[in-house]
Amino acid sequence: MSASAVFVLDLKGKVLICKNYMGDIDMSEIDHFLPMLMQMEEDGPGSPIFTHGHVHFLWIRHSNLYLVAVTKKNGNAALVFSFLYKIIQVFTEYFKEVEEESIRDNFVIVYELLDEVMDYGFPQTTDSKILQEYIMQQGHKLEIGAPRPPATLTNAVSWRSEGVKYRKNEVFIDLIESVNLLVSASGSVLKSEVVGNVKLKVILSGMPELRLGLNDKALFEISGRDKSKSVELDDVKFHQCVRLSRFENDRTISFIPPDGEFELMSYRLYTQVKPLIWIESVIEKYSHSRVEIMVKAKSQFKHRSTANNVEICVPVPSDADTPKFKTSTGSAKWLPEKSVVNWSIKSFPGGKEYLMRAHFDLPSVEGEMEAKPPITVKFEIPYFTVSGIQVRYLKIIEKSGYHALPWVRYITQSGDYQLRTNQ
C-alpha cells in the first residue's frame, strides 16, 4: 500500500495531527491540499485523489475533519482509502465522536494509535479491541523491563488474545435480514433486495475453531443434497477471521473468532421479494378546505409470524392542521415538524389487515404544488427470514474439549422500505 504520511486537518486546512512514516516527502506539501481541493470543487465534484508534482493526495472527509494520505508511489488506492476509513473506526471506538475537538483533546493517544496502525507506510494491526489491550485512554500501558510487543501482534491470529477464560462458554448468533423495497404509485415493485448480516457474540475460552453450516445452495450442490430448501447467496463478504481458501474449496465457513461481538459475514439477495407489509392509500385533497387520508395496511407473511413495532409514516401537506384520526388498531400521531402522520402498531400478526383514517384542515389560500414523498414503513419480524436461510450447525472445537452452547436468533426488519403515492 505504502503511504508516506498521514495528516488530520480541520476544514480550514490547518494541520491538527501528522505522522511521517517514510520520510521521503517534504511535510510542507500538505499546504497545497486545501487550495487544490477548493479549485477542483469550483470546477465540479472534487476527486478523492489528486496530484501536485510527484506527490499524490488521497483524502476523505469525516465530520469537520479531512484525513489525507500522501504518497509518491503508484500504490493501491483502494487499500489507502480502506486504511483511512479504518482509522476513523478505531478513533470512534476510543473517542465516540471523531471531530476536531476530540482530536485536540486526545492528541497523545491519537499519536500512539497512528504509531501502531502503520509501520514504514504499511498497515499493521487496525483492530481496536487488540489496540485497547495496550493503548488505553488513560495513557500508554507500561511494561516492567524490556518492552515487548503484545502477543496478539506476534500471533498468527492477530484478532484474538491467548488465555481467554470464561466459566460458561456460549455463542450467540444473530441472523438479521433487512428488506429494501420501492413500490411505484401504480403498485408495481421497482426495487427489491434483501441484505443479510450474520453477527456473533462469542463467549468462549481458549483458542476455539468454529465451523458454521448454512443451507447454502452451492454447498448443497457440492454435497448432492436437496436444493429445494437451499438459498443462493450473492455478494458474500467475510470477517478477516474466516479461512477464505476453505470456503472457496468446499463452502465451509471455518474460523477462529474474535472475543466478544463482531460481524462474521454479510450477503445480498436480488430475488424478487413479496412485500411483507403492503400499503394501499387514498389521499384526497379538497382545495381551500381539507385533506382526507385513508390507509390500508396488510401483512403478507404467514399467520404464525408477527411484525413488532410497526411504524407507517404517511406524508401530509406542510400547511395542514387540526388533525383527527381513526384507527382499527394502534395509534396515529401527527408530526408537524416532519409533515407526516405516524401510525404505530405494536403487534401486527401475519394475514391481518388494518385501517387508518385521518382528516386535516387546510388554509383557504392555495399553496404551491408540493413534491409527493413516499409512504415509509418500519418493522421487525422475529424468528423469520425472508430468504429462508438457516443455521444448520455450529461446531466448536477447542483442545480442552469443553462443552459450549450455541444460541441462534433470526430477525427480518425493514431497510429502505418505501411505497409511492399518486395523490
Side-chain angles (χ1 to χ4, degrees), residues 205-216:
S205 304
M207 196 66 71
E209 181 182 333
L210 275 59
R211 290 176 193 164
L212 179 68
L214 304 172
N215 55 336
D216 172 22

Side-chain angles (χ1 to χ4, degrees), residues 127-225:
D127 190 310
S128 56
K129 286 184 182 175
I130 303 303
L131 289 165
Q132 283 171 358
E133 285 184 25
Y134 56 101
I135 297 179
M136 299 181 172
Q137 277 178 285
Q138 291 82 10
H140 201 85
K141 187 177 177 183
L142 296 175
E143 296 281 351
I144 297 171
R148 57 186 180 82
T152 45
L153 294 187
T154 53
N155 269 356
V157 184
S158 62
W159 54 85
R160 185 179 179 89
S161 304
E162 289 189 14
V164 177
K165 286 186 180 178
Y166 290 104
R167 290 178 64 185
K168 189 176 182 182
N169 292 286
E170 297 176 300
V171 180
F172 297 87
I173 305 172
D174 277 355
L175 211 152
I176 302 165
E177 291 191 338
S178 299
V179 180
N180 297 331
L181 185 81
L182 178 61
V183 177
S184 72
S186 61
S188 57
V189 176
L190 302 176
K191 183 182 89 170
S192 169
E193 66 174 11
V194 177
V195 178
N197 301 92
V198 180
K199 297 183 177 180
L200 268 66
K201 182 178 180 182
V202 175
I203 307 170
L204 295 175
S205 304
M207 196 66 71
E209 181 182 333
L210 275 59
R211 290 176 193 164
L212 179 68
L214 304 172
N215 55 336
D216 172 22
K217 187 176 181 181
L219 172 63
F220 276 42
E221 285 174 352
I222 293 167
S223 57
R225 289 187 179 89

